[in-house]
Amino acid sequence: VLTQSPGTLSLSPGERATLSCRASQSVTSTFLAWYQHKPGQAPRLLIYSASNRAPGIPDRFSGSGSGTDFTLTISRLEPEDFAMYYCQHYGGSPEYRRYTFGHGTKLEIK
Amino acid sequence: EVRLVQSGAEVRRPGESLKISCETSGYSFTGHWIGWVRQMPGKDLEWMGIVYPDDSDTRYSPSFQGQVTVSADKSISAAYLQWSSLKASDTAIYYCARGGGEEGKKQWLVPFDFWGQGTLVTVSS
């Protein structure tokens, strides 16, 4: 189980956002991703392997963490960054796959 | 440019069947897993199943095993999600998503790097 906090984060453009994802048991950081999702749009991969930015993702987005605690940081919020954010663990075994998403954090304009 | 384009919104009655599609372009379709993810109204993203188009290797989340069928047609680079008997609780947005990783390596421990725009399925009597 992945628990994201806070459920809602109200900030202003230009501020720093820190989003948390906590796993109920230790996960390999190699298999932790973050997505951005806006209403009516396709989700967008931001970070994979906990800290690697996906191609085309601005460097204001960064990921960190290991074990059970992971963080997505947006250094300086732009208007287009207000959206839902999900963490995901991809793992399990070849026979029993697990692609588990967190409950999400809504990043809204204050 | 990698693109996943899903079929349009559907309205069905309980008990009816349905097959929705995900047409892909811009990459080698047979070289990446394609997964399906459900988002019920106001709820979280849930992984349903995944297919490797090259050999049709298919895996399901235990929550969806037996409830849906995931498939792929490599001749037209399309993936499908189908139901034989819909329930009202199947009302949701369904997304297809490409598994990342190196093309052709059949890597499954990968994030979903490209997504479709979603298909809204409404099941109501």
Side-chain angles (χ1 to χ4, degrees):
Chain A
V1 176
L2 297 175
T3 302
Q4 292 187 241
S5 62
T8 301
L9 184 57
S10 300
L11 294 170
S12 300
E15 291 191 292
R16 180 185 186 89
T18 303
L19 288 66
S20 173
C21 175
R22 176 163 290 179
S24 56
Q25 54 187 299
S26 183
V27 301
T28 305
S29 60
T30 306
F31 310 131
L32 194 287
W34 289 91
Y35 299 86
Q36 178 191 69
H37 191 197
K38 298 179 181 178
Q41 296 187 21
R44 178 188 181 197
L45 175 66
L46 299 174
I47 301 288
Y48 65 95
S49 300
S51 60
N52 296 98
R53 269 188 302 277
I57 301 303
D59 60 8
R60 64 179 182 273
F61 291 92
S62 63
S64 63
S66 63
T68 59
D69 292 299
F70 298 87
T71 301
L72 174 70
T73 302
I74 310 172
S75 60
R76 189 176 172 82
L77 286 166
E78 297 287 342
E80 63 267 26
D81 297 337
F82 293 92
M84 284 292 295
Y85 290 84
Y86 294 94
C87 60
Q88 181 207 27
H89 175 242
Y90 36 104
S93 67
E95 281 302 311
Y96 299 101
R97 311 288 175 87
R98 295 286 184 269
Y99 300 94
T100 307
F101 293 91
H103 301 302
T105 290
K106 181 180 181 180
L107 179 56
E108 64 177 24
I109 298 177
K110 188 173 182 180
Chain B
E1 179 192 7
V2 174
R3 295 192 72 202
L4 285 73
V5 180
Q6 298 184 230
S7 49
E10 302 277 2
V11 179
R12 291 287 188 277
R13 298 192 187 281
E16 292 185 338
S17 63
L18 177 63
K19 189 174 188 177
I20 62 175
S21 66
C22 173
E23 298 182 357
T24 73
S25 61
Y27 73 100
S28 175
F29 180 66
T30 55
H32 290 264
W33 292 89
I34 289 276
W36 288 91
V37 175
R38 180 177 79 174
Q39 186 170 40
M40 298 175 72
K43 301 296 185 182
D44 306 335
L45 300 170
E46 301 172 271
W47 170 67
M48 304 173 70
I50 199 163
V51 59
Y52 194 72
D54 190 42
D55 58 10
S56 294
D57 187 1
T58 309
R59 309 300 170 95
Y60 293 92
S61 163
S63 299
F64 293 93
Q65 179 82 47
Q67 307 303 308
V68 295
T69 302
V70 170
S71 61
D73 185 341
K74 58 186 180 182
S75 69
I76 56 171
S77 300
Y80 302 95
L81 177 66
Q82 67 182 89
W83 297 259
S84 59
S85 181
L86 286 160
K87 301 185 284 286
S89 58
D90 293 317
T91 295
I93 298 174
Y94 294 87
Y95 296 95
C96 62
R98 188 187 85 158
E102 291 185 60
E103 194 165 279
K105 298 284 189 181
K106 205 175 179 183
Q107 295 169 313
W108 59 273
L109 283 170
V110 291
F112 295 127
D113 60 355
F114 290 94
W115 294 63
Q117 83 280 14
T119 295
L120 174 63
V121 174
T122 303
V123 184
S124 174
S125 54

